[in-house]
Amino acid sequence: MNTTPTQSSVAAVIVLAAGGGTRMKSKRSKLLHAVAGRPMLSYAVDAARALEPRHLVVVVGHLREQVEAHLTEYCPEALTVEQPVRNGTGGAVAVGMAKLGDVQGEVVVTYGDVPMLNGETLKALVAAHRADQNSCTVLTAMIPDPTGYGRIVREEGQVARIVEHKDATETERVINEINSGIYVFDADLLRAGLPTLQPNNVQGELYVTDMIGYARGEGKRVGAFVTDDLWQTEGVNDRVQLARMNAEVNRRLVEHWMREGVTVLDPQTTWIEADVDLATDVTILPNTHLLGASSIATGAVIGPDTTLRDVEVGENARVVRCHGELAVIGPNAEVGPFARLRPGTVLGERGRIGTFVETKNAEIGAGSRIPHFGYVGDAYLGEGAYVGAGTTFANFDGQDRLPTHLGSHAFVGANSVLVAPIDIGDGAYVAAGSTITSDVPAGALAVARGQEHISEDWVQRKRTGSRSAAAAEAAVGEVHPKVAEARARVQDKTAGQPEAAEQQEAQQ
Ligand code: UD1
Ligand code: CA
C-alpha cells in the first residue's frame, strides 16, 4: 500500500442501502425507521465516520429520495450512488467502487440496516485486518441459530469461502460461524475480483461473499474477526426485529445511564432515546419516556408516567405525570401531576405548573405559579405571579393567536378569562370569576363579574318540604367558624384601607 493512513483512517466506507425493506410493509424506507429515536441509517453513518474514511459512499435504490434527503441533512459529506438493478450485494459493492474511481487502500463494506454495529467494532476489524496483513477480513460471529445467514467455511482453521444458507449443504448448515456482511477489502482486490463474480447460485445474484473464495484462489491472505457481541451483526428486516432491536438498544442505554449515576426505578418501563442527556443523581420513576434531545439536570426527579420530547429540565425540578414537548423547566420548578407542556413553554426557577394545566408558548417567570387546572397560551408572565384555578388565557380570536402579559407578582383569581391581547401590570389583581377585556394597570384591581343577588328564604318558599328546606329550618344562622375566622383575619389585614371590600373580592 502506498498510502499511510492514520491509526484508524481508511480509504473508503461503502454502506449498502439499496435493499427494498419489503418486509417492513412501509411507505417509509426501512433505513429511516427509528431505533432509539434515530433513523437506522444514522447509526451506520456514525460507525463509518468513526473510521475517518476519506470517502463515504452510500449505495441507494429503493425509496432513494427519502434516503438521500436524510443523508443531505445528517451526513452531507456522504456520496450517494444508485444501484439501478438490485442484482445482489456483489453488484451493490461494484456500484460503490465505480463511484470511488481509482481509490487505493482499505475499503470497508457495511450495511445501512445493522444499527447496533458501532465504530469500535469497525476499528477492531480494521486493526485485525492490518495486524494480519490481510487483503480481506470479514466480521463474523458464532451464533446458536445461524439459519438464514451465510456460513464461514474454514479449511485447516483458515477462512476458505462463504456459502449462503440457501446454497449450503447439510454439513455446511451445521456451521454456526456466520458472515455479518461487514468486511474490509483491499481496493485493488475488489477491482480485480468484482468483475469475475457470477450469479451461479440459488438466488441468481452477484454475491460479494464470493470475493472470499476469489481472494483465496489468488493466493491472498483472508481473515476473520469474530465479535462476541451478537447484536452488532443483527440486521432489521421487519417490525418484529425492529421492536427487538429497540428493546435491546434501550436496555443498553438505560444501563449506561445507571452506570453514569442515574437512578432508574424500573428499567423495563423506562425509555431513553439515543440523544438524551442525563446528569448524575437524576431519578427516573416508572413509565417514563425521555425522547429527542431532552436533557435533565442533576437532582431532578422525573415520572412516573411522563413523556418528555426535546425538553430541558433544570436542577432539582420535579416532573410528575407530564407530557411535554419543546419546553424548558427551570431549576427547582414543579410540574404536574397531569400537566401538558406544549412547545414554547419556558417555566422559570421555582415555578409551578400544576394539575390539569396546559401551557403553550408561555414564558413563565421565576416563582410564578399556575397550580390548578387552566390554559396558559401565548403568555408572558413576570416573576412571582399567581394564576388561580380554572383560569383561561383566551389567546385565539378565531383567526389569530394573541399575547397576554401578566406582570410580576400579579394575582389572577380563580376561574378568570383573560382575553388577549391584554396587559395586566405588575402587582395587579384580577378578581375571581372575571372576564378581563381591557388592560389592568400596575397595582390596580379589576373586577368583571355579575352582581351577587341573595333571595332570603327562597328554599323554604320554593322547595317546601325538601331536605334542603328542613336543613335550612334547623340552621343556627351563623357562618361556619372556619370562614368567620378567616374573614376576621382578612379584615384585620385590610382594616383602614379604602378598597378593603374590593380586596376581599379578589380572593379566590
Ligand atoms: C447477506 C450475506 C450473508 C450474510 C448476511 C448478513 C450476501 C450474498 N450474503 O445476506 O452472507 O450472512 O448478509 O446479514 O452478501 N443490498 C443492496 N443491493 C443488493 C442487495 C443487497 O444494497 O442488490 C443491501 C441490502 O439493502 C442490505 C444488505 O445489502 O442492507 C444485505 O442484503 P440482503 O439481501 O439482506 O442479504 P442477506 O441475504 O441477508
Ligand atoms: Ca439481511
Side-chain angles (χ1 to χ4, degrees):
M1 267 193 330
N2 51 13
T3 50
T4 49
T6 61
Q7 194 55 38
S8 60
S9 155
V10 298
V13 176
I14 300 174
V15 179
L16 305 190
T22 36
R23 280 171 283 171
M24 294 294 281
K25 300 190 175 155
S26 178
K27 290 192 180 73
R28 190 150 42 117
S29 161
K30 171 170 88 174
L31 301 158
L32 302 185
H33 280 259
V35 170
R38 289 175 37 179
M40 225 183 278
L41 183 57
S42 70
Y43 293 92
V45 167
D46 286 358
R49 274 175 170 163
L51 296 174
E52 298 170 37
R54 293 196 290 284
H55 307 280
L56 175 50
V57 174
V58 181
V59 179
V60 295
H62 183 67
L63 298 172
R64 66 174 287 189
E65 297 79 13
Q66 291 180 19
V67 176
E68 283 175 340
H70 169 72
L71 288 170
T72 305
E73 192 195 316
Y74 190 75
C75 185
E77 76 269 25
L79 304 169
T80 59
V81 55
E82 185 176 19
Q83 183 188 13
V85 240
R86 209 170 162 272
N87 57 351
T89 50
V93 174
V95 164
M97 282 303 286
K99 185 78 179 176
L100 286 167
D102 62 354
V103 67
Q104 293 295 311
E106 296 148 339
V107 176
V108 172
V109 173
T110 72
Y111 293 161
D113 59 358
V114 185
M116 286 183 65
L117 175 75
N118 64 33
E120 295 311 307
T121 300
L122 285 185
K123 282 184 189 175
L125 173 68
V126 170
H129 178 81
R130 289 175 187 173
D132 297 344
Q133 298 183 321
N134 291 335
S135 61
C136 170
T137 309
V138 52
L139 181 69
T140 71
M142 307 295 297
I143 66 173
D145 178 12
T147 309
Y149 286 99
R151 308 297 209 286
I152 306 295
V153 181
R154 289 179 181 260
E155 284 164 9
E156 288 157 14
Q158 299 298 304
V159 178
R161 60 196 170 85
I162 296 175
V163 60
E164 290 305 291
H165 181 89
K166 287 177 181 154
D167 303 306
T169 63
E170 282 306 314
T171 2
E172 286 166 338
R173 285 186 182 181
V174 174
I175 301 171
N176 50 10
E177 184 178 9
I178 60 105
N179 170 30
S180 68
I182 293 146
Y183 323 81
V184 192
F185 291 104
D186 178 57
D188 285 334
L189 178 79
L190 281 176
R191 259 188 301 270
L194 288 170
T196 71
L197 298 181
Q198 297 296 324
N200 299 331
N201 50 60
V202 172
Q203 302 187 84
E205 289 184 353
L206 300 175
Y207 286 172
V208 74
T209 47
D210 288 346
M211 282 298 302
I212 310 300
Y214 170 82
R216 283 301 298 267
E218 295 294 301
K220 306 283 186 189
R221 289 183 72 92
V222 175
F225 176 76
V226 189
T227 175
D228 49 16
D229 184 1
L230 305 184
W231 282 100
Q232 291 211 36
T233 64
E234 191 95 345
V236 174
N237 297 305
D238 62 26
R239 298 192 202 224
V240 175
Q241 285 175 317
L242 181 65
R244 266 167 37 87
M245 180 72 59
N246 264 304
E248 176 61 16
V249 170
N250 186 62
R251 194 189 64 72
R252 292 184 184 202
L253 282 166
V254 170
E255 200 170 298
H256 161 78
W257 287 116
M258 292 192 288
R259 293 195 195 288
E260 292 293 309
V262 172
T263 295
V264 178
L265 208 70
D266 184 11
Q268 302 284 336
T269 63
T270 299
W271 290 82
I272 302 175
E273 286 187 351
D275 295 332
V276 168
D277 190 35
L278 306 176
T280 55
D281 286 322
V282 161
T283 300
I284 302 175
L285 300 178
N287 277 316
T288 293
H289 306 85
L290 301 177
L291 312 178
S294 293
S295 70
I296 318 287
T298 187
V301 182
I302 314 294
D305 304 328
T306 293
T307 299
L308 301 180
R309 178 180 293 284
D310 302 319
V311 174
E312 184 186 323
V313 180
E315 288 186 13
N316 301 316
R318 183 82 182 80
V319 183
V320 189
R321 297 183 208 279
C322 169
H323 187 99
E325 199 172 342
L326 278 169
V328 178
I329 297 168
N332 297 298
E334 282 182 44
V335 176
F338 308 109
R340 179 173 182 208
L341 275 50
R342 292 168 54 199
T345 298
V346 181
L347 178 63
E349 206 174 326
R350 288 173 290 100
R352 173 135 174 63
I353 293 175
T355 318
F356 300 116
V357 174
E358 175 178 336
T359 60
K360 185 215 74 174
N361 206 13
E363 293 175 18
I364 301 165
S368 286
R369 290 174 293 156
I370 308 138
H372 320 287
F373 48 102
Y375 173 68
V376 178
D378 299 303
Y380 302 87
L381 276 68
E383 298 186 356
Y386 184 89
V387 179
T391 294
T392 298
F393 284 55
N395 63 328
F396 184 49
D397 65 2
Q399 282 180 325
D400 295 310
R401 317 279 155 179
L402 302 159
T404 296
H405 170 246
L406 183 63
S408 290
H409 302 283
F411 177 95
V412 179
N415 210 33
S416 294
V417 181
L418 310 178
V419 182
I422 199 155
D423 194 305
I424 296 164
D426 291 346
Y429 269 56
V430 169
S434 293
T435 296
I436 300 296
T437 54
S438 30
D439 290 353
V440 182
L445 167 71
V447 189
R449 56 157 95 118
Q451 279 300 308
E452 185 169 306
H453 170 76
I454 305 284
S455 190
E456 297 278 352
D457 298 328
W458 182 89
V459 171
Q460 284 93 327
R461 283 185 276 114
K462 299 291 189 186
R463 297 289 184 270
T464 318
S466 69
R467 289 187 183 193
S468 303
E473 210 63 59
V476 287
E478 282 169 14
V479 294
H480 189 280
K482 292 279 185 204
V483 177
E485 183 200 318
R487 184 164 298 148
R489 225 186 315 121
V490 173
Q491 268 161 0
D492 275 358
K493 240 182 7 192
T494 57
Q497 294 179 19
E499 297 94 352
E502 290 164 307
Q503 287 221 1
Q504 263 185 52
E505 282 182 310
Q507 303 301 318
Q508 50 159 334

